[in-house]
Amino acid sequence: MLQTHLVIVGSGWAGMRLARELKHVPKHTLRITLVSDITTFRYSAALYRVATGRREREAIIPIAEIIDDLPNVTFKKAKVDRINREKKILKLEDGTEIHYDIAVLALGMVTTYFGIPGLEQRSYSIKTARELRQLRTHLHQELLDENAPDKNYVVIGAGPTGVELSSALTSYMKEVVRKHGLKRRRITVDIVERAAQVLPSSSKTVSRKTLARLRQLGIRVMLNKNVEKEEDDYLVVSGQKIPTHTVIWTAGVANNPFYNLNAKQFSLTDRGKVVVDDWLRVDDSVYVIGDNANTPYSGLGLTAVHNAKFVGKDIKRRLTHKSTPKYKPLVPATAIPAGKRWAAFSYRGLTLVGMPGAIVRSLADLVAYNDIVGWRKALSIWIRSEEREEVCSICQSALEQNLHGHPLAPHRS
């Protein structure tokens, strides 16, 4: 049997799960090239935790570590900008060409600011390691401004990331103030949402209970509000100026520009998503999976993993000249934390909030890590998920003293 060359483009949920799904296919049968313009996998469900003092490795995992037990996978750091489906060629940004027998495009989404003035230049984000470090450094440095004792933090977007981050930020900033030995100061967190409810994609019940939880944490929730502009010292929301030096954008994503750049190669919906058949293909040799595909529940990590498992099964069966039943969408469960020991879990008609939801979320993290890195590594990451890691020397010193049983000594900066 001739060796088949599979090229996976993208190192997100769909791409990384597909690589692991094909782990046991013999190398002489299937050679896999994984292409991505970044060298890490981002565990999106833990990004908010890293932003508020947890270990970076919980959310930013090197691809080299993930594939070290995948003998048939070779990683290539590069950006794919063109595809020629007729010739089965992927063209890289540097002009290099990769020939494929099967290509799986799992490029994911990109951030968009909807053209709102000032946001791209001034706001913070938590989607990459660099952005996480920038935000954490800013949070610590900004507190040292004695001329502005009251601090206001604004999170834009009340989807899962916005809810998770704003909830964690309230307790984290109070903790940082204490570790720095600073005078007590007023810390406020706002969350701004264009829709009429928090978690717009969730049920009314989950939204209502989560809204109550946010308010219980002291977060000011602003619904049905439009962000109009960000300046150095304030954010304009529906005509109102909110004084702030910290705006965190979690709201907008758009389909990867690769598809518009190659629009003649694909059939796209009005939203820019790729039309695929009942096997998630655009032709016999090209699959499009994850956030980019026009399928039910597209945009969720669970859907991307489900896509990858299906395509992995389809590829394995095709290698042995067998057919695969049509793809069936998975109704996803969600478990969204809002502060310590509280999460809203929802699946079909079942809703759990509070500690039961938090337990489900923790177990879901373990399963999700396994999907990407395998059980041994997943357990190691999961067990250490409560460990703190600070880039600030003052906070790190206080953390070390606390770990060794010493009282926290006051500091002044």
Side-chain angles (χ1 to χ4, degrees), residues 55-334:
R55 293 171 61 245
E56 187 173 295
R57 189 56 61 89
E58 188 180 346
I60 308 294
I61 307 172
I63 290 173
E65 290 185 12
I66 297 174
I67 68 172
D68 65 4
D69 64 338
L70 305 180
N72 54 357
V73 177
T74 301
F75 174 65
K76 183 176 181 62
K77 184 180 184 300
K79 183 177 182 180
V80 176
D81 63 4
R82 295 285 181 179
I83 184 172
N84 186 322
R85 287 168 46 203
E86 183 179 356
K87 295 182 178 180
K88 295 187 177 181
I89 291 174
L90 292 164
K91 190 172 182 179
L92 307 183
E93 194 174 42
D94 65 3
T96 305
E97 294 182 348
I98 299 179
H99 293 256
Y100 64 84
D101 297 307
I102 301 173
V104 179
L105 304 179
L107 289 156
M109 308 293 274
V110 296
T111 300
T112 179
Y113 296 90
F114 304 117
I116 301 172
L119 276 181
E120 185 169 2
Q121 297 77 21
R122 296 183 175 90
S123 68
Y124 292 86
S125 183
I126 62 169
K127 292 185 178 178
T128 68
R130 181 179 62 83
E131 290 172 344
L132 283 166
R133 292 166 192 160
Q134 286 179 337
L135 175 60
R136 286 172 66 169
T137 298
H138 167 78
L139 291 175
H140 288 255
Q141 291 179 344
E142 224 262 322
L143 277 173
L144 304 180
D145 181 4
E146 294 291 347
N147 296 319
D150 294 346
K151 298 297 175 183
N152 192 42
Y153 305 91
V154 183
V155 177
I156 303 176
T161 301
V163 167
E164 292 164 353
L165 179 61
S166 60
S167 302
L169 201 58
T170 55
S171 59
Y172 179 63
M173 295 315 302
K174 292 174 184 176
E175 181 182 310
V176 172
V177 168
R178 179 174 58 85
K179 287 180 177 178
H180 279 255
L182 300 172
K183 296 176 182 177
R184 288 190 63 182
R185 54 184 62 191
R186 182 171 170 266
I187 301 287
T188 61
V189 176
D190 296 339
I191 186 166
V192 181
E193 171 57 48
R194 186 177 182 180
Q197 66 178 55
V198 299
L199 302 176
S201 298
S202 296
S203 69
K204 296 289 185 182
T205 299
V206 168
S207 175
R208 176 173 50 81
K209 291 180 180 293
T210 303
L211 176 61
R213 171 62 174 175
L214 293 173
R215 288 174 172 164
Q216 181 186 44
L217 293 172
I219 298 168
R220 182 169 64 158
V221 182
M222 306 171 68
L223 301 174
N224 290 310
K225 301 293 184 181
N226 292 319
V227 176
E228 297 171 354
K229 180 172 63 172
E230 182 182 357
E231 294 289 353
D232 288 338
D233 299 317
Y234 62 87
L235 181 73
V236 181
V237 177
S238 294
Q240 175 188 357
K241 288 185 179 180
I242 301 176
T244 182
H245 292 133
T246 310
V247 175
I248 308 170
W249 177 255
T250 71
V253 292
N255 208 26
N256 198 288
F258 169 86
Y259 297 101
N260 281 332
L261 192 62
N262 294 271
K264 293 182 179 179
Q265 298 284 328
F266 303 99
S267 177
L268 303 177
T269 68
D270 293 341
R271 297 179 59 199
K273 298 223 174 186
V274 181
V275 177
V276 293
D277 66 12
D278 291 328
W279 290 267
L280 304 181
R281 306 174 198 160
V282 294
D283 64 34
D284 284 344
S285 301
V286 178
Y287 296 83
V288 176
I289 62 175
D291 298 348
N292 308 137
N294 185 39
T295 61
Y297 314 113
S298 174
L300 298 175
L302 276 175
T303 301
V305 169
H306 183 58
N307 285 181
K309 290 179 177 179
F310 172 83
V311 169
K313 179 181 179 180
D314 191 42
I315 290 173
K316 285 184 281 189
R317 292 180 69 87
R318 288 177 66 184
L319 291 174
T320 55
H321 306 289
K322 298 177 182 178
S323 60
T324 305
K326 296 177 181 180
Y327 173 77
K328 292 183 179 179
L330 173 74
V331 178
T334 60

